[in-house]
């Protein structure tokens, strides 16, 4: 049944091989939106919930070239940016090739 659903909506979770990490706050609407797109694509991702944790936010900012807003998304250790950048990559057809690259 799930395979039929995936085919119907052109989802190909079996193609996703990348290591995806996302730093979030639980109530952040942009975080929820980014996770929804990743979920829709069938991506297994590691989520770091950094709600109110200044130390974790500083570590995230180090990885994200100083960016302190959430979400911050990494695909195979490459900094993608936030929610808007993720959706832009998807709109340009560049997200799925990134997700298909092995970790």
């Amino acid at each position: 049944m799930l395979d039929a659903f995936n085919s119907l909506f052109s989802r190909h979770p079996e193609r996703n091989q990348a290591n995806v990490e996302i730093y979030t706050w639980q109530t952040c609407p942009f975080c929820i939106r980014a996770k929804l797109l990743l979920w829709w694509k069938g991506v297994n991702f590691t989520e770091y919930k950094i709600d109110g944790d200044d130390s974790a936010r500083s570590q995230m900012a180090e990885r994200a070239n100083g960016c302190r807003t959430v979400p911050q998304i990494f695909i195979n250790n490459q900094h993608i940016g936030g929610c808007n950048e993720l959706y832009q990559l998807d709109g340009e057809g560049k997200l799925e090739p990134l997700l298909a690259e092995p970790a």
Side-chain angles (χ1 to χ4, degrees):
M1 173 82 177
L2 189 55
D3 289 336
F5 176 78
N6 286 336
S7 295
L8 180 65
F9 291 105
S10 299
R11 294 178 67 208
H12 302 282
E14 70 281 356
R15 295 181 187 167
N16 299 329
Q17 298 181 39
N19 177 39
V20 179
E21 300 169 278
I22 181 169
Y23 289 83
T24 66
W25 277 46
Q26 286 184 335
T27 58
C28 164
F30 291 100
C31 299
I32 294 166
R33 189 168 176 245
K35 291 188 298 183
L36 184 60
L37 177 59
L38 293 172
W39 172 83
W40 181 253
K41 299 275 184 193
V43 176
N44 291 319
F45 56 87
T46 302
E47 180 179 10
Y48 304 110
K49 297 176 185 175
I50 62 167
D51 300 62
D53 185 342
D54 288 334
S55 174
R57 187 173 219 156
S58 293
Q59 289 174 350
M60 175 198 73
E62 273 185 44
R63 285 188 74 191
N65 304 315
C67 296
R68 296 186 57 81
T69 58
V70 289
Q72 290 300 319
I73 303 157
F74 297 84
I75 299 176
N76 289 338
N77 287 319
Q78 176 186 350
H79 181 232
I80 299 304
C83 180
N84 292 339
E85 291 81 8
L86 183 70
Y87 273 83
Q88 181 177 356
L89 283 172
D90 187 45
E92 294 171 352
K94 296 178 181 176
L95 180 58
E96 291 196 19
L98 283 175
L99 295 173
E101 292 178 15

